[in-house]
């Protein structure tokens, strides 16, 4: 009853509705620039593409581009400049009100909600990454840095001699669940967040042997 009332209040609150619309617009703008960046690299190669070209293709100003992305590479990868630090900050906040596992899963869920699901764009990005090894290295480095930071935060919240080992295992499992959810979402044609919830539900069941 309480959850239903809160949901109704959110739907009728003009400020909340406006915030939701602004966030949707920001996501669409980021996706347009991300798509433009990938298309341009596929057409011209990484070294020939500039932030100005990406902005023009996406129909935005260069200033708008740099409001969303720190570099052209970040736009190509679809990685917001402070993504790692925001994930860490979000994890710290969630640990105040959730268990360690719940908090980590919530952060993973938030992250997958921002992943583009267009299959054509995904395939084009794969081809671009294969042709531009520097992008692959950068993507791997960003992911490793984020994982290390998340492990640090979780280790602080766990007890015992092997707290850091346990934190590392939990983070690795969390990212594995995210990859599985995205794969299932693409195969079934469903929303990635819904797929993530399903994957976590299966993972947490105690009547199956994974």
């Amino acid at each position: 009853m309480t959850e239903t009332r809160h949901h109704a209040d959110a739907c009728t609150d003009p400020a909340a509705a406006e915030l939701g619309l602004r966030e949707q617009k920001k996501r669409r703008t980021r996706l347009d620039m991300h798509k433009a960046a990938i298309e341009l690299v596929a057409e011209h190669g990484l070294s020939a593409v500039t932030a100005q070209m990406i902005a023009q293709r996406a129909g935005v100003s260069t200033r708008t581009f740099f409001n969303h992305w720190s570099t052209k590479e970040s736009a190509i990868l679809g990685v917001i400049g402070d993504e790692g630090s925001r994930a860490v900050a979000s994890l710290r906040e969630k640990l105040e009100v959730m268990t360690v596992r719940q908090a980590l899963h919530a952060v993973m869920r938030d992250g997958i909600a921002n992943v583009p699901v267009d299959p054509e764009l995904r395939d084009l990005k794969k081809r671009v990454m294969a042709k531009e090894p520097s992008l692959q290295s950068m993507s791997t480095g960003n992911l490793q840095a984020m994982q290390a930071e998340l492990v640090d935060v979780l280790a602080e919240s766990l007890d015992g001699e092997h707290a850091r080992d346990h934190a590392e295992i939990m983070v690795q499992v969390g990212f594995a669940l995210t990859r599985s959810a995205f794969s299932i979402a693409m195969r079934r044609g469903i929303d990635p967040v819904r797929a993530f919830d399903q994957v976590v539900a299966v993972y947490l069941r105690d009547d199956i042997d994974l």
Side-chain angles (χ1 to χ4, degrees):
M1 184 69 165
T2 303
E3 291 181 359
T4 302
R5 184 170 62 253
H6 286 338
H7 177 71
D9 290 345
C11 291
T12 56
D13 183 349
E18 179 63 25
L19 180 61
L21 290 173
R22 285 203 303 269
E23 183 59 32
Q24 290 177 28
K25 183 177 179 180
K26 284 173 60 177
R27 289 187 180 185
R28 284 196 300 269
T29 300
R30 283 199 297 267
L31 180 57
D32 288 344
M33 289 186 284
H34 177 48
K35 182 178 180 180
I38 293 172
E39 290 174 346
L40 286 167
V41 174
E43 295 167 9
H44 305 289
L46 178 61
S47 61
V49 175
T50 65
Q52 289 77 12
M53 291 169 63
I54 297 171
Q56 184 176 14
R57 172 72 67 93
V60 300
S61 67
T62 303
R63 179 178 179 180
T64 296
F65 176 91
F66 284 112
N67 283 340
H68 290 269
W69 314 101
S70 56
T71 64
K72 68 178 184 182
E73 288 83 4
S74 63
I76 297 163
L77 295 175
V79 177
I80 301 171
D82 62 348
E83 186 175 34
S85 59
R86 290 193 306 120
V88 169
S90 176
L91 180 59
R92 290 189 185 279
E93 291 177 2
K94 289 175 170 56
L95 285 169
E96 296 292 330
V97 294
M98 300 178 181
T99 67
V100 172
R101 178 180 285 176
Q102 289 171 341
L104 180 61
H105 287 174
V107 170
M108 297 291 100
R109 191 178 191 273
D110 290 344
I112 201 171
N114 293 316
V115 177
V117 296
D118 183 342
E120 293 184 3
L121 180 60
R122 187 179 74 255
D123 291 342
L124 182 60
K125 184 175 180 179
K126 285 182 179 179
R127 295 198 296 273
V128 165
M129 298 288 281
K131 290 196 301 185
E132 301 288 350
S134 63
L135 290 175
Q136 186 62 54
S137 298
M138 187 178 301
S139 178
T140 300
N142 289 340
L143 181 60
Q144 290 175 341
M146 181 189 294
Q147 290 177 339
E149 290 184 273
L150 293 175
V151 169
D152 288 342
V153 175
L154 287 186
E156 295 172 2
S157 300
L158 295 170
D159 298 322
E161 179 183 357
H162 304 294
R164 185 168 186 83
D165 291 342
H166 295 163
E168 185 170 345
I169 292 170
M170 293 184 71
V171 169
Q172 293 294 336
V173 170
F175 276 89
L177 294 176
T178 302
R179 289 192 297 271
S180 296
F182 190 72
S183 176
I184 290 171
M186 295 302 98
R187 187 170 67 252
R188 297 182 183 173
I190 63 176
D191 178 69
V193 173
R194 178 185 169 197
F196 182 80
D197 290 341
Q198 293 177 353
V199 168
V200 170
V202 170
Y203 169 69
L204 294 177
R205 283 172 58 182
D206 58 8
D207 62 338
I208 58 174
D209 185 11
L210 291 178

